[in-house]
Amino acid sequence: DARVTQTPRDKVTEMGQEVTMRCQPILGHNTVFWYRQTMKQGLELLAYFRNRAPLDDSGMPKDRFSAEMPDATLATLKIQPSEPRDSAVYFCASGSSSLADNEQFFGPGTRLTVL
Amino acid sequence: GNSVTQMEGPVTLSEEAFLTINCTYTATGYPSLFWYVQYPGEGLQLLLKATKADDKGSNKGFEATYRKETTSFHLEKGSVQVSDSAVYFCALSPPGGDDKIIFGKGTRLHILP
């Protein structure tokens, strides 16, 4: 059945290194969302795209984070340089703006640990 | 603005107990309302939804009714199981073409055998 996939599932890196997380949305979906989840802050929306165009990245630290959709089957979230405070689980979700209720379908997440 | 408030957790119950997790919302117009569930180590998944006032969403024994007069969407289950242990998120989708969903902070539920 159709699912959102994310890679890698787990990533351990050292402070200062570049981290790239990838997401494959459900085929046919035209909206993609990136969320970050921590115990302290809960679920935060970092960025979202519709038809591959970035519509809102106000939740993302601009100096080190960037999000792109090189094509309709791939979304990327990059952190450069990474810091220990970036340790979190990062979720990608996709949806279809043609649906009246905007249901989102979540991937399994990437657990990032920055040492 | 649009917001969702749900009861703080954790909530701990014994198996077969009755569950209620309260959720109230603030929104203009008639949003769509959702409950998402997150099992340990997984992403969020839709549990149930309701798109208009007085609608009842239901799934896996869980129910929630869209109450416009009290701006509420409380989650209920008559008899919980250990496998229901998870984090539950109430959420809304504003009307008017916004793709985003506004999530509550989540309520962690522990069911004891």
Side-chain angles (χ1 to χ4, degrees):
Chain A
D1 61 326
R3 297 185 186 203
V4 175
T5 59
Q6 291 185 247
T7 56
R9 292 295 311 275
D10 281 280
K11 176 72 175 179
V12 180
T13 191
E14 293 191 347
M15 183 173 61
Q17 296 298 304
E18 178 178 298
V19 174
T20 299
M21 291 169 269
R22 293 176 173 81
C23 167
Q24 182 172 11
I26 291 173
L27 189 65
H29 281 184
N30 68 331
T31 56
V32 172
F33 303 81
W34 283 105
Y35 293 90
R36 176 171 62 185
Q37 186 177 42
T38 60
M39 290 295 291
K40 188 174 180 181
Q41 299 294 336
L43 195 66
E44 303 172 276
L45 178 66
L46 297 176
Y48 99 90
F49 296 76
R50 187 199 296 158
N51 298 325
R52 295 177 55 203
L55 291 192
D56 185 354
D57 62 0
S58 58
M60 207 162 64
K62 301 293 189 302
D63 56 336
R64 300 182 299 108
F65 284 60
S66 61
E68 295 180 346
M69 279 202 74
D71 62 62
T73 64
L74 177 63
T76 62
L77 180 66
K78 190 173 296 186
I79 308 174
Q80 167 65 352
S82 57
E83 297 181 2
R85 60 180 166 150
D86 300 330
S87 297
V89 181
Y90 291 81
F91 289 104
C92 174
S94 71
S96 174
S97 58
S98 63
L99 294 176
D101 59 20
N102 292 334
E103 178 182 345
Q104 293 180 17
F105 297 77
F106 280 74
T110 293
R111 180 177 299 276
L112 175 64
T113 303
V114 183
L115 304 174
Chain B
N2 301 303
S3 66
V4 174
T5 303
Q6 61 181 106
M7 60 191 290
E8 299 245 352
V11 173
T12 302
L13 297 172
S14 297
E15 204 166 23
E16 299 184 3
F18 184 87
L19 168 72
T20 300
I21 300 178
N22 290 334
C23 171
T24 57
Y25 68 89
T26 301
T28 52
Y30 289 83
S32 295
L33 301 175
F34 307 89
W35 277 100
Y36 279 79
V37 59
Q38 184 180 27
Y39 298 104
E42 299 183 11
L44 281 69
Q45 56 185 272
L46 182 69
L47 179 60
L48 55 82
K49 64 183 178 184
T51 57
K52 59 183 189 294
D54 299 324
D55 266 3
K56 178 184 284 187
S58 61
N59 186 24
K60 299 181 181 180
F62 291 89
E63 292 182 340
T65 301
Y66 190 142
R67 301 284 188 203
K68 182 66 177 174
E69 63 276 11
T70 53
T71 61
S72 65
F73 193 55
H74 304 320
L75 182 68
E76 297 182 335
K77 186 174 185 182
S79 176
V80 292
Q81 305 300 313
V82 172
S83 57
D84 294 327
S85 297
V87 181
Y88 292 81
F89 293 87
C90 185
L92 71 83
S93 172
D98 191 332
D99 300 315
K100 290 186 280 190
I101 290 180
I102 312 299
F103 286 92
K105 293 186 181 298
T107 301
R108 186 173 297 276
L109 174 66
H110 294 291
I111 306 300
L112 304 175

